[in-house]
Amino acid sequence: MNNDWKHCPLWLRPFKAVAWYLNEIAGVPNYQRYLEHFRKHHPGEEPMSEAEFHRRMTDEKYGGGSIRRCC
């Protein structure tokens, strides 16, 4: 878990911890984790912007942006 929760009020920390946990088990893409990986494994290259990262993750999850529905 990143350190963002340390800067929030004490009463909010348990909620942030639960949200973090649920996002982790659901596989929600994490831009900060991507940046850490990118800096470690691709030094000197330019990482995607946060908007581009989330767009690409959505496209990968839903097959290129075309959501297939039954209804």
Side-chain angles (χ1 to χ4, degrees):
M1 183 161 59
N2 62 23
N3 291 332
D4 291 343
W5 62 274
K6 291 182 179 180
H7 301 292
C8 67
L10 283 174
W11 65 270
L12 190 58
R13 290 181 186 181
F15 297 103
K16 285 201 170 259
V18 169
W20 173 83
Y21 177 74
L22 293 174
N23 285 333
E24 287 294 308
I25 62 173
V28 175
N30 184 314
Y31 185 67
Q32 292 303 317
R33 186 181 307 140
Y34 159 74
L35 287 178
E36 291 169 11
H37 167 85
F38 196 88
R39 287 183 186 119
K40 182 178 180 182
H41 296 282
H42 307 280
E45 295 181 38
E46 186 71 25
M48 291 183 275
S49 68
E50 188 168 4
E52 186 180 13
F53 169 78
H54 287 293
R55 189 176 320 111
R56 182 173 292 178
M57 293 300 111
T58 301
D59 287 350
E60 286 181 14
K61 183 174 183 178
Y62 295 111
S66 58
I67 300 173
R68 294 164 184 78
R69 298 182 182 155
C70 65
C71 307

